[in-house]
Amino acid sequence: MSFATYCQLVEKITQWNYAYHVRDESLIEDAEYDAAFIQLQTIEMAHPEWVLPESPSQRVGAPASSSFQKITHEMKMLSLSNAFSLSDTWDFFVKAAKELECDVDTLPILSEPKLDGLAISLRYEKGILRYGATRGDGQIGEDVTHTIKTIASIPLKLFTQDPPEVFEVRGEVFMSKAVFEQINVLAQQENGRLFVNPRNAAAGTIRQLNPKIAAERALQFMPYGIGAYLGEKVFTAHSQILTYLNTLGFQINSNTRTFNATERAFDEDYQRMAALRESLPMEIDGIVYKIDYLALQQQLGFIARSPKWAVARKFPAQMVKTTLLDVIFQVGRTGVLTPVAKLKPVFVGGVTVSNATLHNMDEIERLGLCIGDEVEIHRAGDVIPKVVSVVAQSEHRQRIQMPARCPICQSEVNRIDNQAAYRCSGGLICGAQIAERIIYYASRDCMNIKQLGRVLIETLCEQGVLNSVAAIYRLTIADIARLDGQGEKNATKILAAIDASKKTTFSLFLTALGISEVGEEGAKNIARYFKNLTALRTADIETLLQVPDVGAVTAKNIHAFFSQQENNQLIDALLAAGVHWNEENFEPRYTPLSGQIWVLTGTLQLPRKVVKETLETLGAKVSGSVSAKTTCVLAGELAGSKLLQAQTLGVDIINETQFLALMHTFDINL
Ligand code: IVH
């Protein structure tokens, strides 16, 4: 075996991969491919000094460390301005033509699908992939080379004998609809944490520390432009760049079109793309129009963070029609019954939908909804599908009624005073409430028992092994190991995670108890005020009302919770099982900003979490939206609508440097 033969093998497998992942052609049988790959690995093991960076074996490397290196983009990564209608699109190019002093219908337009994934910049030096980075704030992104390399449609070495010195390829990493559905099925079986849409799943996968997991998720990449370029080739049009990228080994979107800018052509092209949307293997959320000639692009330049030669026309939220087959009632952690629509499965917004929330009985009334009706459902981005209206009433429509008894434990169902909600009166004898309480107790924002997810808890509850929160600490290896797909090794890991979670904080423990109206922030205030559990357990309503942000309803709920014998028994059992915390440092706090409401917007150099926590430590509240009540807006780079709103409302605005200076006056050096 010589080095030359090794290089041929690398080349051969690379070509097979390219044919399969980029051109959608299978050149050989799986067995032949596997044999060649094993041969490659064997040679590389014998001759580690030969290993080429572009070898297919180099796609799955070592896991990344817990934080990603920052990468400064040599050329900023821009974003796109949006158009929401044909007239917006038309106006955009009329304006561009005016600036270029030409007739709008002479503008050469190129359209591409707007892929719904995440923007990535790939830097090639002398044809070899050096790194892949996320967009970040446009200027500074994160090094995600370890997961980028797992993407089979990204060449590790450009297919050319004559590569440019530097070549940055910009494009979208995305997950196909099919892979998305598959990984969600698996996630459901494993730990119940589902991705909301393919974009989210792609973003999560790119930031995976372990490239092995990323490789299993089969991400894809399609380029839509270039960044820094140092080479001899001269480009005159965007379409020419796309063709060149194709010869270098990238997959180019076949739904790209060129035409001249007329209102009719824009409309036809948009309609064409909208009609294609459902049948495409990946999610698209609109269409991007670009002026094709680079000279014109250069003349126009960009404003803020968007080019003046390209615009995205987004699709409106997707609506589809289907039939309401049934309504079931789900019992939540606090016993509230929520009606859930069971729909005839329908593909919308990239996923198959067969359930939709109906919120409460008033909503059903408002919609005039009956079982059997044809309904319109709506799914936009991350939003849970929603029944929007009744399109046609069925002849055999059936009224939807709140059951008199809980579907799980048969206890009486009662309407909650003055609310649209109904609650099962079964309390902790209700299986659904027990499972939901355990799921909540173990969840990330509570006791954070990493390995104990929804599916496992539900199975253990069904089998009668788990019948209370405290029973978590009585689980044995055998209880878990005998379940399908678990085994002893997994069971041991799960028990270790349960054990590790016993060390917690007072406020997390309080959150985990699931007292109605007491969330993470509320629990922190309560823990800070009372400092220990005994004081809280014996507090009267008057005292509870002294806690910052605790109002009459919450005080009543807390008091009621600690007045119930079974809750106290549960707490004692948890403490006896070894749940403990160090007394947190709840010294009376210095809160010079108390009463203030802050809003953070734009890209900050400091981690947002740090800024938020610092402001909160100083007594301020941090809110997500600007209103007349806002005290101050901290605006980072590329701030958008919130900044505008603050300016309109005359709210104080400071930048990050001023913020640091302000913190300095409180002796806080960030
Ligand atoms: S061009 C200089 N073309 O949409 C302009 N972007 O909302 C850079 N996107 O950040 C972008 N498909 O992540 C362009 N065909 C396409 C696209 C596309 C998806 C994404 C991209 C960008 C975002 C802007």
Side-chain angles (χ1 to χ4, degrees), residues 78-80 112-115 119 135 172 224 288 290 307 309:
L78 299 175
S79 191
L80 290 168
E112 296 165 349
K114 188 170 185 308
L115 302 174
R135 179 176 178 279
E172 200 83 343
Y224 48 64
V288 184
K290 299 174 179 175
W309 44 265

Side-chain angles (χ1 to χ4, degrees), residues 76-82 110-120 135 170-173 222-226 238 253 256 284-290 297 302 305-307 309-310 312 314:
K76 237 181 173 181
M77 286 183 79
L78 299 175
S79 191
L80 290 168
S81 47
N82 290 323
L110 177 136
S111 71
E112 296 165 349
K114 188 170 185 308
L115 302 174
D116 198 8
L118 68 151
I120 288 288
R135 179 176 178 279
R170 303 236 161 124
E172 200 83 343
V173 163
M222 272 190 198
Y224 48 64
I226 59 175
H238 180 74
N253 206 301
T256 301
I284 62 170
D285 60 343
I287 181 165
V288 184
Y289 297 110
K290 299 174 179 175
Q297 290 188 4
F302 54 91
R305 52 184 176 157
S306 317
W309 44 265
K314 301 281 271 285

Side-chain angles (χ1 to χ4, degrees), residues 4 9 25 97 117 119 125 139 168 193 200 256 260-261 282 284 343 354 367 432 442 459 495 567-568 609 611 643 655:
L9 187 59
E25 292 165 17
E125 285 170 11
Q139 218 141 23
E168 284 181 3
R193 286 193 90 122
N200 242 283
T256 301
N260 278 356
M282 78 288 273
I284 62 170
L343 305 163
S354 44
L367 293 167
T459 315
L495 284 200
N567 289 334
N568 285 306
K609 198 167 170 230
V611 175
L643 177 59
N655 65 23

Side-chain angles (χ1 to χ4, degrees), residues 326-361:
D326 196 5
V327 172
I328 59 152
F329 289 84
Q330 256 172 12
V331 187
R333 177 167 57 87
T334 55
V336 171
L337 274 76
T338 308
V340 176
K342 291 280 161 190
L343 305 163
K344 190 167 159 209
V346 57
F347 195 71
V348 50
V351 291
T352 306
V353 169
S354 44
N355 294 320
T357 170
L358 287 167
H359 301 296
N360 53 42
M361 295 306 283

Side-chain angles (χ1 to χ4, degrees), residues 128-194:
I128 301 286
L129 177 67
R130 284 291 162 228
Y131 63 73
T134 60
R135 179 176 178 279
D137 62 3
Q139 218 141 23
I140 300 177
E142 283 177 329
D143 184 344
V144 286
T145 315
H146 66 297
T147 47
I148 284 295
K149 278 189 172 171
T150 68
I151 302 177
S153 46
I154 293 182
L156 298 179
K157 184 181 173 203
L158 300 176
F159 293 8
T160 170
Q161 296 302 323
D162 184 21
E165 194 64 24
V166 173
F167 197 43
E168 284 181 3
V169 180
R170 303 236 161 124
E172 200 83 343
V173 163
F174 59 94
M175 184 179 279
S176 70
K177 294 170 185 168
V179 172
F180 168 73
E181 295 233 14
Q182 267 167 23
I183 64 166
N184 259 0
V185 169
L186 281 180
Q188 179 122 42
Q189 284 162 1
E190 280 166 13
N191 61 15
R193 286 193 90 122
L194 301 186

